[in-house]
Amino acid sequence: MSAAPDDRAPHAEGPALAAEVEGYLLAHAEYDRAHREAEALCARLPWLTTAQAEDLVRHYVSQRLDITRQTLATIARRARQLRDEYEARYAALRRALFKAHAACACALLVIAGLITALSPLTR
């Protein structure tokens, strides 16, 4: 018997849903901000007709959102690069630390073996 889609654990999709809602809210806020800026620009240009002002607002908002998308893509790409660099460095440090601990453990075993081997001779 297969589980129905509604039987999935709600906690599994919670973070994804929250991220999606957050992205939507951020995008909507950016659109609103761009729209307000365009309207403020048109208010400083009183000679524009209503159609010209609407066209300017539409073009401004479109261009602003394109720039925002490009900027976010660049930031996301750089964040992935930094994460990859960090993970590589972390793995290298873990390997070095493991090697150092392994060398110390081997040295301690050799010393313990020597002490054990030499202890009957000193009596």
Side-chain angles (χ1 to χ4, degrees):
M1 181 172 163
S2 64
D6 294 338
D7 291 345
R8 290 178 288 170
H11 59 78
E13 58 191 34
L17 179 62
E20 188 174 336
V21 169
E22 181 184 22
Y24 172 79
L25 292 174
L26 289 171
H28 195 272
E30 184 64 22
Y31 173 83
D32 288 343
R33 188 177 307 116
H35 202 272
R36 282 193 309 273
E37 289 174 5
E39 288 175 342
L41 175 63
C42 289
R44 291 191 306 264
L45 306 172
W47 60 85
L48 293 176
T49 65
T50 302
Q52 290 172 329
E54 289 172 356
D55 195 38
L56 180 60
V57 167
R58 185 175 52 78
H59 283 295
Y60 181 90
V61 169
S62 175
Q63 183 178 6
R64 170 74 183 274
L65 293 179
D66 287 344
I67 291 169
T68 300
R69 275 188 213 99
Q70 291 171 358
T71 302
L72 289 174
T74 301
I75 291 169
R77 191 170 34 258
R78 182 62 180 143
R80 282 190 298 274
Q81 288 173 346
L82 289 173
R83 184 190 61 224
D84 292 345
E85 290 173 15
Y86 173 80
E87 287 175 352
R89 180 69 178 141
Y90 180 74
L93 289 173
R94 283 187 65 182
R95 280 191 302 276
L97 185 62
F98 177 75
K99 288 177 185 178
H101 281 127
C104 286
C106 288
L108 285 174
L109 286 174
V110 167
I111 292 170
L114 286 174
I115 291 174
T116 304
L118 295 177
S119 64
L121 299 176
T122 58
R123 292 185 187 189

